Amino acid sequence: MADQKKFLLNETDIPKRWYNVQADLDVPLAPALHPGTGQPAGPDDFAPLFPMDLIMQEVSQDRWIDIPEPVRDVYRIWRPTPLFRATGLEKALGTPAKIFYKYEGGSPAGSHKPNTAVAQAYYNSIAGTKRISTETGAGQWGSALSFACQQFGIEAKVFMVRASFDQKPYRKSMMQTWGGTVTASPSDETNAGRTILEGDPESPGSLGIAISEAVEVAAGDADTKYSLGSVLNHVLMHQTVIGQEAMQQMEMAGGLPDMVIGCAGGGSNLAGIAFPFVPEKLAGRDIRFIAVEPAAAPSLTKGKFAYDFGDAIGMTPLLKMHTLGHTFVPNPIHAGGLRYHGMAPLVSAMADAGLIEARSYNQTECFDAAVLFASTEGIIPAPEPTHALKAAIDEALICKETGEEKSILFHLCGHGHLDLSAYDNYFSGNMVDYALPPEEIAAAMESVPQI
Amino acid sequence: MADQKKFLLNETDIPKRWYNVQADLDVPLAPALHPGTGQPAGPDDFAPLFPMDLIMQEVSQDRWIDIPEPVRDVYRIWRPTPLFRATGLEKALGTPAKIFYKYEGGSPAGSHKPNTAVAQAYYNSIAGTKRISTETGAGQWGSALSFACQQFGIEAKVFMVRASFDQKPYRKSMMQTWGGTVTASPSDETNAGRTILEGDPESPGSLGIAISEAVEVAAGDADTKYSLGSVLNHVLMHQTVIGQEAMQQMEMAGGLPDMVIGCAGGGSNLAGIAFPFVPEKLAGRDIRFIAVEPAAAPSLTKGKFAYDFGDAIGMTPLLKMHTLGHTFVPNPIHAGGLRYHGMAPLVSAMADAGLIEARSYNQTECFDAAVLFASTEGIIPAPEPTHALKAAIDEALICKETGEEKSILFHLCGHGHLDLSAYDNYFSGNMVDYALPPEEIAAAMESVPQI
């Protein structure tokens, strides 16, 4: 048999705690600001939208937070997840590097999103929440939250961007299978939706509008809370089960990696794989963390590190983050999960402090990498993690030149079985790249508030 | 923590041999007959279509056949697969039964099909085959074979039924991602295709026509062989890696099951999970094997055990099997993998000998079961294994009445992420059942040859 390919853990190895990187950062995060007053927002400001347990996790400085047993119980459906060595890809590249990937595509929703959806649904359930509202673009987050809510007997109310609702009925069916209620956005169920529809009855919707609808529903109903699938500190923390497992598996594979690579849209993908390795770096070990963005939404590489709104309309608290301006609407790349104007405050602060590197790629070169990966490793990746894959390949090719046997770990956060239309687009030669020219970036950033 | 949910093996536990049930059957299988002469067909008759290693496996009486290391090497991409206890489903049913499922949805193609595709591609590669032709309906088998061929540097030529080719572009993209060449059938590349197109230029095609095209291409080119995804003895044998792993895992879970359930279209699904348990039954242990068919194609429950052709046109050797008549075209149920007029000779012979029970269900009741399963276990099943699931639930409900704590193992052979349109059809209330009335069955069976 060739080199070991698969590093598997047992059910008892599912992490018992989430790792909170806030505890290890030198400088505390800049506080969120109230959108009305501009003053630091306190827990009570978030109470209409989130249960208090999650609000306290958002600001916690504890290094470890116990994972409740009912959450671990649901994690057992797909966790622990496998870590693979990409022996086929290494061979095709002719690199002396060792490439590893942590694969989250085996979850019910086919991505890493359920790791936080389950935690959020659980804390809402013990707080008495009857319903959770959220937004979804192509449907990945809405699927994960529907699944999670059903596990805890909560109703999921998902506002799905109208264009996707019409074009992607499959994700809608997935949410319905898990008991989710899916509403095309803009809808006539909210003031925000009605206002948009009055102006344009044929509006295709946008993530910004869907957020506004979901937040409005939660704010107006004591039994309903709101949920976000990335960006916030507690969301990133829930994803650290990925990196904790990966650390155990990398030890089985011979030791810590030289670099950890994740794609970055809102930031929870990279955070999940990388944050558990941060204490090793802070202790002096030479580990690089690489965030990989789409060139169509390059907040970390091209944006400003400043206070900005989380949504397009300016209803949410202001967060200090790398942003392209909250009114910026990224072009329709296939990696829908990376189409966001901002970046998680934690990832932003760590990038600002030099702990995290960032780079960006166009989608066509990412799909080139994806097809090479599928032909050598078998798994067809979702569009989002092809960005991390592309960076891993580039690093492995550098090793080929230098002869270094580096160990590269990247996060393959989901399979592409629900994204085959993107591959169809690639093979038909119609894929368009959308690298942002400087003048568009400058124009977009004019919407960053002057604070 | 609740009862253990997941039973995981290590890479070293991937089976090293396939189990050949032919060695343990009292009576040898009836020989295949040459379609022209009606005489028993020898290895040479199959040589234009299959490499000799596979032909010899087809007739082998050896109990164990070593799995070549290059095949195990590819298996390592997704094997060993997990076995779960369906604790959530048990609770929802209120049954004292223990329900277990072996899950093959984590393979690159999302189903169990690669287990044999990889083996077939390997033996073709060492025989010098340059290209393998095959047919595919919705695309599941064509995907698996494309993946497998790419692993061994062989070209995959897939004739895909025109109706699916037009309606299901995603499976086509999947095959292309793995380097497969996909041709809509009927095509103008073969005599069979041209004949059909002359009669009906708009022909939507059928599996029977696609088989004819694939066989014609293989028969006419020394560098091209043909491949079948089920029915034949060697195909069923390759799938026994599933049941062998499941046996190890059931031992971890407390012992052998009281019944083993699989859906049955061509037969490889049931064979894969059940055959490795056959020696236990033959040794006197009380294990039931249950084959579950769609009511729309009930070959085992309603068909005749007789010699018939494998394809619709009558080009293949005659096999003794349960059949509804080779000209029978099943109605368009969503479980495309179960739409076959016949049944594997091995499964047929064992059913005839009373070793295997059979039953059938309508698709709506299977989707009822699927939605219950998704809500309790998280995984959304492909339409085919919902038949096995439905039977497992019915057996668990019998246990609820009798109070028996039976152990039920069923085969969840694939996820439904590529079949969400079927769920859409179910939720929209448009799903149609197609239980066959006796007169239609009688009419179909008139095409069974009088031998």
Side-chain angles (χ1 to χ4, degrees), chain A residues 80-430:
Chain A
T81 63
L83 183 134
F84 292 92
R85 181 162 166 205
T87 48
L89 178 62
E90 290 171 16
K91 199 172 156 194
L93 296 174
T95 177
K98 292 180 181 177
I99 306 174
F100 299 91
Y101 55 101
K102 178 71 168 167
Y103 182 48
E104 294 281 308
S107 87
S111 78
H112 69 299
K113 289 288 184 189
N115 293 325
T116 183
V118 170
Q120 293 190 48
Y122 167 75
Y123 286 113
N124 271 288
S125 77
I126 60 170
T129 304
K130 299 279 185 290
R131 189 170 68 154
I132 298 179
S133 67
T134 198
E135 69 286 336
T136 200
Q140 299 194 15
W141 170 242
S143 302
L145 193 71
S146 296
F147 157 70
C149 282
Q150 191 175 48
Q151 291 288 321
F152 294 104
I154 296 175
E155 185 188 341
K157 167 91 176 163
V158 183
F159 287 94
M160 185 173 188
V161 174
R162 159 71 67 187
S164 295
F165 183 92
D166 290 338
Q167 289 162 20
K168 304 198 173 181
Y170 302 142
R171 277 283 185 182
K172 183 178 60 183
S173 308
M174 199 170 198
M175 291 184 259
Q176 287 178 313
T177 302
W178 285 318
T181 305
V182 189
T183 305
S185 169
S187 76
D188 59 7
E189 296 181 14
T190 66
N191 289 327
R194 284 186 292 270
T195 304
I196 300 288
L197 288 173
E198 278 165 26
D200 177 7
E202 303 299 313
S203 166
S206 76
L207 211 50
I209 296 168
I211 293 177
S212 301
E213 292 205 275
V215 168
E216 184 182 323
V217 162
D221 177 2
D223 288 337
T224 302
K225 298 291 180 190
Y226 170 73
S227 170
L228 201 64
S230 187
V231 179
L232 300 179
N233 303 338
H234 67 274
V235 180
L236 274 57
M237 185 185 73
H238 298 154
Q239 295 291 358
T240 61
V241 290
I242 301 168
Q244 290 182 65
E245 287 181 7
M247 279 188 80
Q248 296 180 63
Q249 291 163 311
M250 289 302 299
E251 292 293 349
M252 292 162 67
L256 291 175
D258 295 302
M259 59 196 97
V260 181
I261 305 174
C263 64
S268 74
N269 191 314
L270 174 77
I273 190 83
F275 282 4
F277 292 90
V278 166
E280 298 287 339
K281 185 177 179 82
L282 294 175
R285 171 142 190 144
D286 186 19
I287 304 182
R288 294 165 60 196
F289 302 119
I290 306 176
V292 191
E293 308 187 304
S299 57
L300 269 178
T301 48
K302 300 283 175 65
K304 193 185 287 187
F305 186 42
Y307 272 106
D308 200 356
F309 297 102
D311 67 325
I313 298 174
M315 294 170 64
T316 71
L318 291 146
L319 302 173
K320 191 168 181 194
M321 59 183 176
H322 284 82
T323 177
L324 295 162
H326 63 281
T327 63
F328 174 67
V329 178
N331 280 307
I333 53 170
H334 291 288
L338 306 183
R339 292 182 63 222
Y340 188 63
H341 68 273
M343 181 55 63
L346 274 169
V347 172
S348 291
M350 290 166 69
D352 191 60
L355 283 169
I356 293 175
E357 305 167 39
R359 69 178 67 171
S360 70
Y361 291 112
N362 278 309
Q363 62 179 349
T364 302
E365 58 193 335
C366 292
F367 275 84
D368 291 341
V371 171
L372 174 62
F373 187 79
S375 73
T376 51
E377 294 294 313
I379 297 170
I380 298 178
E384 291 82 358
T386 63
H387 292 76
L389 165 64
K390 167 68 177 158
I393 289 173
D394 281 1
E395 291 296 326
L397 290 175
I398 291 172
C399 289
K400 186 178 180 177
E401 284 186 18
T402 62
E404 289 174 292
E405 295 183 22
K406 289 201 172 161
S407 166
I408 301 168
L409 168 64
F410 79 92
H411 185 197
L412 186 61
C413 63
H415 68 62
H417 293 187
L418 289 152
D419 301 282
L420 289 167
S421 58
Y423 284 84
D424 195 36
N425 184 243
Y426 171 80
F427 285 116
S428 64
N430 296 323

Side-chain angles (χ1 to χ4, degrees), chain A residues 3-4 6 8-9 11 76-79 84 108 150 170 173-174 177-178 375 378 415 417 421 424 427, chain B residues 3-4 6 9 11 76-79 84 108 150 170 173-174 177-178 375 378 415 417 421 424 427:
Chain A
D3 289 326
Q4 193 173 346
K6 215 166 181 175
L8 299 172
L9 302 172
E11 198 166 75
R76 294 193 296 154
I77 292 176
W78 73 97
R79 307 212 71 82
F84 292 92
Q150 191 175 48
Y170 302 142
S173 308
M174 199 170 198
T177 302
W178 285 318
S375 73
H415 68 62
H417 293 187
S421 58
D424 195 36
F427 285 116
Chain B
D3 289 326
Q4 193 174 344
K6 217 167 179 174
L9 301 172
E11 199 166 76
R76 294 194 296 153
I77 292 176
W78 75 97
R79 306 211 71 82
F84 292 92
Q150 192 174 45
Y170 302 141
S173 307
M174 200 169 196
T177 303
W178 285 317
S375 73
H415 68 61
H417 293 186
S421 59
D424 196 35
F427 284 118

Side-chain angles (χ1 to χ4, degrees), chain B residues 291 300 305 322 343-358:
Chain B
L300 268 179
F305 185 43
H322 283 82
M343 180 56 62
L346 273 170
V347 172
S348 292
M350 290 167 69
D352 191 59
L355 283 169
I356 293 175
E357 305 167 39

